[in-house]
Amino acid sequence: MKFIQKLMDERFARPAAKFMKFACYFLIVFCTLCTVLSFMGRQTFFLHTSTGNFEHAIYAEEDHDPSSRGMTVQMGDDIHVLIGDADQIDLAIQIGLSLMYAVHTVPIMLAFWFLSCVFSNIHKGQIFTEKNASYLLYYGLIQFGAAVFVPFIKLLICWLTNQASDNRMSISTGQAMFNMLIPSIAFIVAAYIIHYGVHLQDEVDHTL
């Protein structure tokens, strides 16, 4: 119990909030770099050809040597690309892969930006404020939207890519939906609690 009270002490909470703010900035930069790598053709997928199947293939590789697959990214979804007798993967597949990765990372970057604003305010001593309630609400809604809608957007991008490509691509997505839904709802509830607390405090101040 004493240890928990120490963790909640302002002398510890403010430096911890400052650290978490910069951790959010780091994650935003990291997601940005990963998105750039995806557009450079460094995103991995399962490649199916007439000569064999290759795991962790990338668009940018000239052969299937594992040593050429350094600095690669993946979404966590199972992506399969079938080129059959074709000599190489066409550009439409690469564009589709990159768009799906961008759809995956952009909501994450936006969510962490709002979360960094919360930590910044906590570091300044501004805790129960309407701004923090709004930022937490935005974070929760973005994560909720990402969990519910992003898988369908990825499937749509995959379908459109297949319409424009001679190759074929398939994706299995949505595995992390429920793991994202519960925390997102928790943040939405936390936003309501802070908003309600601020509203009650305003009523008390006006009453006094």
Side-chain angles (χ1 to χ4, degrees):
M1 190 66 180
K2 291 182 178 180
F3 177 72
I4 295 177
Q5 291 177 344
K6 288 182 180 180
L7 290 178
M8 298 174 64
D9 188 85
E10 185 177 1
R11 292 176 298 176
F12 176 82
R14 286 198 178 187
K18 185 177 182 180
F19 172 81
M20 291 304 300
K21 179 183 71 172
F22 286 107
C24 289
Y25 291 159
F26 172 80
L27 289 172
I28 292 171
V29 173
F30 179 76
C31 288
T32 303
L33 292 176
C34 288
T35 305
V36 171
L37 286 174
S38 175
F39 277 93
M40 293 172 59
R42 309 297 301 181
Q43 182 178 348
T44 62
F45 51 86
F46 291 93
L47 177 63
H48 302 272
T49 71
S50 58
T51 58
N53 302 321
F54 303 92
E55 190 176 2
H56 302 303
I58 59 174
Y59 178 80
E61 67 182 354
E62 296 181 357
D63 53 46
H64 303 298
D65 184 3
S67 62
S68 66
R69 299 172 200 168
M71 292 292 291
T72 59
V73 295
Q74 59 179 342
M75 295 186 298
D77 301 316
D78 290 333
I79 302 176
H80 296 260
V81 176
L82 173 64
I83 63 175
D85 296 329
D87 294 332
Q88 61 183 6
I89 304 170
D90 59 28
L91 183 60
I93 293 292
Q94 164 56 13
I95 294 174
L97 288 169
S98 299
L99 288 177
M100 285 192 291
Y101 196 88
V103 167
H104 176 78
T105 56
V106 168
I108 295 175
M109 289 188 281
L110 287 175
F112 277 118
W113 169 254
F114 287 118
L115 197 59
S116 72
C117 294
V118 175
F119 287 125
S120 178
N121 288 339
I122 293 175
H123 174 65
K124 297 174 183 176
Q126 303 170 2
I127 301 174
F128 286 97
T129 66
E130 283 289 352
K131 284 186 176 181
N132 284 345
S134 298
Y135 292 147
L136 289 176
L137 178 63
Y138 297 152
Y139 178 89
L141 289 176
I142 290 172
Q143 292 287 60
F144 184 89
V148 175
F149 298 111
V150 165
F152 293 101
I153 297 175
K154 290 179 181 178
L155 290 172
L156 176 61
I157 293 173
C158 183
W159 180 80
L160 291 174
T161 301
N162 286 333
Q163 302 306 305
S165 173
D166 293 330
N167 305 146
R168 284 293 173 266
M169 178 170 61
S170 64
I171 180 173
S172 174
T173 185
Q175 296 90 336
M177 178 182 292
F178 291 104
N179 291 336
M180 295 176 63
L181 280 177
I182 301 302
S184 66
I185 294 173
F187 274 95
I188 294 173
V189 173
Y192 169 75
I193 293 172
I194 293 178
H195 171 77
Y196 187 70
V198 172
H199 178 70
L200 287 180
Q201 186 62 47
D202 287 341
E203 288 186 351
V204 171
D205 292 341
H206 283 92
T207 301
L208 295 177

